[in-house]
Amino acid sequence: MALLEMKNMTMRFGGLTAVSDFDLTFQGGEFMGLIGPNGAGKTTVFNVASGFYKPSQGNVVFKGKDTRGLKPHGVTALGVARTFQNIRLWHELSVLDNIRIAQHYRMGYNLMDCFLRTKRYKRAEAKIDSIAWQLLEQLDLKRYAEEKPNNLPYGLQRRVEIARALSVQPDLLLLDEPAAGLNSADVDGLIKLIRWIHKEFKLTIWMIEHQMTVVMSLCEYIKVIDFGRTIAEGTPSEIQQNPAVIKAYLGDSEI
């Protein structure tokens, strides 16, 4: 059984077709890139895969379950986590609480348990704390546990967002332009971090990224879309030499 299958997935907004007949299959363990010019439909694909959009047509199946009727938290509960191009952290909460709160969907206790501090409440909270502190240690964020995210450099905020996504213990991690806004030193650190995460957590990773250094350093296989349609797919070296990809990025006059 494939981890994720998207077949003939099409997403329309009124009369605009943002993505058309998109196909993809993950068996598990891969590291795939999704690239294309601005406005090509990449984030729309991620929004469908993570439950933010219900596709206009086609199938989306994760671990054998049709996800088209699920809300984002339902898709997360199945094992899909994501980050966003524009970092979305709760800046009024500490770094630790940002990671803890992501696990709310599996707390396993109710309001009365919380009010009475029952054993079920204490067990669940202890597990949530354990996972959060372990991730802070693994991603070298422990010293910032009580800091507010907006007090941290942008590169560390991105690391916190990735830690929060990992806290739900996903099988599939979607990274939407993780290098956006980072300087060259932070990008080098990000590449090392994501490579380590892929190996250490044994995750399937699907990444949108405009910085080709990141894509070519990390991805094993790449799909390219333009105007919502797949125009190429293959290994990094195949994509670099593909005429359709060169045309999409540079235009006819540059070929």
Side-chain angles (χ1 to χ4, degrees):
M1 181 175 65
L3 180 67
L4 174 68
E5 284 187 289
M6 304 178 82
K7 289 190 175 181
N8 302 317
M9 190 279 286
T10 297
M11 189 71 222
R12 300 187 187 93
F13 299 97
L16 173 66
T17 300
V19 179
S20 180
D21 295 321
F22 185 87
D23 293 317
L24 176 131
T25 300
F26 281 119
Q27 296 300 331
E30 300 99 324
F31 197 132
M32 184 180 289
L34 180 63
I35 67 172
N38 288 327
K42 304 180 295 298
T43 296
T44 298
V45 172
F46 267 27
N47 284 339
V48 171
S50 54
F52 285 87
Y53 295 157
K54 182 179 179 179
S56 304
Q57 69 183 56
N59 297 318
V60 183
V61 179
F62 185 74
K63 293 196 292 192
K65 184 175 179 61
D66 188 340
T67 67
R68 288 174 297 175
L70 296 180
K71 299 294 184 182
H73 68 271
V75 178
T76 298
L78 288 176
V80 179
R82 71 173 293 183
T83 65
F84 296 85
Q85 178 182 353
N86 298 314
I87 296 174
R88 298 184 184 181
L89 295 171
W90 292 285
H91 290 293
E92 70 277 11
L93 300 177
S94 68
V95 167
L96 174 62
D97 283 340
N98 265 271
I99 297 173
R100 292 179 74 256
I101 203 170
Q103 303 175 62
H104 70 91
Y105 74 93
R106 60 171 176 216
M107 290 186 301
Y109 59 78
N110 56 37
L111 184 60
M112 188 60 69
D113 289 317
C114 183
F115 182 73
L116 296 175
R117 296 296 194 268
T118 63
K119 289 183 179 179
R120 180 163 59 176
Y121 165 84
K122 291 177 181 178
R123 282 196 302 267
E125 285 295 306
K127 183 176 181 180
I128 288 170
D129 280 342
S130 175
I131 291 170
W133 281 108
Q134 183 177 8
L135 282 166
L136 288 173
E137 180 76 37
Q138 289 173 310
L139 274 68
D140 196 24
L141 291 167
K142 198 171 182 178
R143 77 193 83 167
Y144 308 110
E146 302 303 328
E147 285 280 357
K148 301 291 180 63
N150 58 355
N151 293 331
L152 301 178
Y154 198 78
L156 284 177
Q157 291 185 40
R158 183 68 74 185
R159 190 176 287 248
V160 172
E161 188 186 36
I162 292 172
R164 185 179 63 184
L166 291 173
S167 73
V168 304
Q169 299 177 319
D171 298 300
L172 174 63
L173 177 61
L174 310 181
L175 300 174
D176 191 349
E177 296 196 40
L182 301 185
N183 60 40
S184 57
D186 284 338
V187 168
D188 290 342
L190 180 76
I191 291 172
K192 293 176 183 176
L193 174 65
I194 295 175
R195 183 179 290 125
W196 176 83
I197 287 171
H198 185 229
K199 180 180 179 181
E200 181 71 15
F201 290 85
K202 297 179 172 60
L203 288 174
T204 302
I205 297 180
W206 193 10
M207 180 175 69
I208 294 172
E209 185 51 65
H210 279 294
Q211 293 202 34
M212 290 299 104
T213 300
V214 179
V215 175
M216 298 303 168
S217 297
L218 291 171
C219 297
E220 303 161 344
Y221 197 80
I222 300 169
K223 286 180 73 75
V224 188
I225 61 175
D226 190 23
F227 295 107
R229 291 187 175 275
T230 300
I231 61 170
E233 53 187 294
T235 64
S237 60
E238 291 169 340
I239 292 301
Q240 285 178 310
Q241 302 171 43
N242 188 294
V245 177
I246 297 171
K247 179 180 178 181
Y249 275 95
L250 301 178
D252 290 312
S253 62
E254 300 293 336
I255 299 178

